[in-house]
Amino acid sequence: MSQILDEVLAANAHYQASFGDKGSLAAPPARHFAILTCMDARLDPAKYAGLAEGDAHVIRNAGGRASDDAIRSLVISYKLLGTKEWFVIHHTDCGMQSFTDAILRDLLAQSLETAVVDADGWHDVGQGPGSTEANYLSFLPIKDLVSSVVEDVQRIRRHPLVPATIPVYGYIYDVKSGQLLEVPTATAAGRAAN
Amino acid sequence: MSQILDEVLAANAHYQASFGDKGSLAAPPARHFAILTCMDARLDPAKYAGLAEGDAHVIRNAGGRASDDAIRSLVISYKLLGTKEWFVIHHTDCGMQSFTDAILRDLLAQSLETAVVDADGWHDVGQGPGSTEANYLSFLPIKDLVSSVVEDVQRIRRHPLVPATIPVYGYIYDVKSGQLLEVPTATAAGRAAN
């Protein structure tokens, strides 16, 4: 068994031992909101936004992007589980700022193994074969952090399955300080405020 | 300003005040693994799996499903940020078990507002208009929890951009006890073990 698996299961046993009455929590988020943020290991949304178990939906992917799948999750969050406000939270020093689709497709075409990065950019060091499958998808890299938040908030607001009344807030999390910095978006109170 | 926004920003100020030296953490996960799990509010992966900031990637969506977007995130996690083991963790009492694509499409066609559920199932109570846009996408509902974990682990293992050497572990989190329950999958040590 892997050391990581051992450690995760040991931590889980510890968590169970102090689980208390959390088994009685209901599925709908008690505080009726959802956060869409990045998978980055440095981010702990429960800590940086003050969530206890049962409080809020947390959706995470590479970049915290408003992908079709994130919107699938948000629609379920609102339509079936009653959240009423949503946050889009990207962060400084995001790995998604370090590449383009062309760069990642090229790396994956060379090998599937982990690449290395230096001042000259990314280099593939793995043994092939790679795959050209990445040519058929976008990895949603980020060129400019503020723009990515604004675009993602707007994409969510404009989605035909998203009601106009849901406020969608845009923020950037600063990994150096832990601070949430507001990103002005045109209609922070939702499209209804237009 | 909304009460939730007030509360989140107050919690964030508290987090910043005790941020310590976390600003020096690097982007690549220190413990080289990733967890794909559900957005459900009752789940706190950092707590149930013992993660500190900087340890591991956490990807979350409705159901913890191995959607194309989750795989996008996992490929970035491995290829650019060096994770070496992945967990797929669904959970008991998942909202994704309570509907089908047909049910959710019908609800959304009636209105975009939050529906209600009772012993007879889901009922739309909102004011229209709804949208037929949902007919063009799948919400990835779950019929059987064990099958959903097995299928998602297998989908990840078989993906052409995923190296055969990555172990992918399948688990179900019990929301009543906090326990992680292993789901036997055919090749838990990765395709390389076949």
Side-chain angles (χ1 to χ4, degrees):
Chain A
M1 193 152 97
S2 91
Q3 184 188 333
I4 288 296
L5 192 46
D6 273 346
E7 292 171 359
V8 165
L9 296 179
N12 180 247
H14 182 74
Y15 182 61
Q16 281 175 64
S18 60
F19 198 65
D21 61 357
K22 288 195 275 285
S24 63
L25 291 169
R31 292 171 63 201
H32 308 292
F33 71 103
I35 291 176
L36 168 61
T37 195
C38 185
M39 69 177 180
D40 190 285
R42 295 166 291 180
L43 275 54
D44 187 336
K47 288 189 182 165
Y48 77 54
L51 310 179
E53 290 93 329
D55 277 358
H57 284 144
V58 180
I59 301 157
R60 300 180 68 173
N61 63 37
R65 303 307 310 267
S67 60
D68 290 348
D69 195 58
I71 290 174
R72 169 184 74 86
S73 300
L74 288 168
V75 169
I76 290 168
S77 175
Y78 179 83
K79 180 72 187 176
L80 301 182
L81 291 155
T83 59
K84 298 180 193 315
E85 300 172 74
W86 297 341
F87 292 77
V88 173
I89 305 177
H90 297 177
H91 65 95
T92 59
D93 191 38
C94 187
M96 303 297 285
Q97 298 170 278
S98 72
F99 67 94
T100 62
D101 272 336
I103 289 170
L104 185 46
R105 287 172 184 154
D106 184 55
L107 290 170
L108 285 161
Q110 294 174 64
S111 88
L112 301 184
E113 300 311 314
T114 300
V116 296
V117 66
D118 62 22
D120 295 327
W122 288 97
H123 308 280
D124 196 81
V125 292
Q127 300 292 318
S131 168
T132 57
E133 194 74 18
N135 297 344
Y136 296 84
L137 59 97
S138 170
F139 292 91
L140 309 180
I142 291 174
K143 247 198 241 182
D144 176 79
L145 264 184
V146 169
S147 302
S148 69
V149 172
V150 170
E151 287 165 19
D152 284 7
V153 167
Q154 290 179 346
R155 181 167 200 248
I156 292 167
R157 287 189 185 137
R158 288 175 185 148
H159 195 279
L161 294 173
V162 172
T165 49
I166 302 183
V168 187
Y169 312 118
Y171 279 83
I172 292 171
Y173 174 86
D174 182 344
V175 296
K176 293 295 179 206
S177 69
Q179 187 177 11
L180 288 173
L181 305 158
E182 187 180 1
V183 176
T185 57
T187 53
R191 282 174 303 183
N194 285 352
Chain B
M1 193 152 97
S2 93
Q3 184 189 332
I4 289 295
L5 192 46
D6 273 344
E7 290 171 1
V8 165
L9 295 178
N12 180 248
H14 182 76
Y15 182 62
Q16 282 175 65
S18 59
F19 197 65
D21 61 358
K22 289 195 276 287
S24 63
L25 291 169
R31 292 172 62 202
H32 309 291
F33 71 103
I35 291 176
L36 168 59
T37 195
C38 185
M39 70 178 179
D40 191 285
R42 295 166 292 180
L43 276 54
D44 187 336
K47 288 189 182 167
Y48 78 55
L51 311 178
E53 289 94 327
D55 276 357
H57 284 143
V58 180
I59 301 157
R60 301 180 68 174
N61 64 36
R65 303 307 310 267
S67 60
D68 290 350
D69 195 58
I71 291 173
R72 168 184 74 86
S73 300
L74 287 169
V75 169
I76 290 167
S77 175
Y78 179 83
K79 180 72 188 177
L80 301 182
L81 292 155
T83 59
K84 298 180 195 314
E85 300 171 73
W86 297 342
F87 292 76
V88 173
I89 305 179
H90 297 177
H91 66 93
T92 58
D93 191 38
C94 186
M96 303 298 284
Q97 297 169 278
S98 72
F99 68 92
T100 61
D101 272 337
I103 289 170
L104 186 45
R105 287 171 184 155
D106 183 55
L107 291 169
L108 286 161
Q110 293 175 62
S111 89
L112 301 183
E113 298 312 313
T114 300
V116 296
V117 67
D118 62 22
D120 295 327
W122 288 98
H123 308 281
D124 196 81
V125 292
Q127 300 292 317
S131 169
T132 55
E133 194 74 19
N135 298 344
Y136 297 83
L137 58 99
S138 170
F139 291 91
L140 310 180
I142 292 174
K143 249 198 241 183
D144 176 79
L145 265 183
V146 169
S147 302
S148 69
V149 172
V150 171
E151 287 166 20
D152 283 8
V153 166
Q154 289 178 346
R155 180 166 201 248
I156 292 167
R157 286 191 186 135
R158 289 175 185 147
H159 195 279
L161 294 173
V162 172
T165 48
I166 302 183
V168 187
Y169 312 118
Y171 279 83
I172 292 172
Y173 174 85
D174 183 344
V175 295
K176 294 294 179 206
S177 69
Q179 188 179 9
L180 289 173
L181 305 157
E182 188 181 0
V183 176
T185 57
T187 53
R191 282 174 303 186
N194 285 351

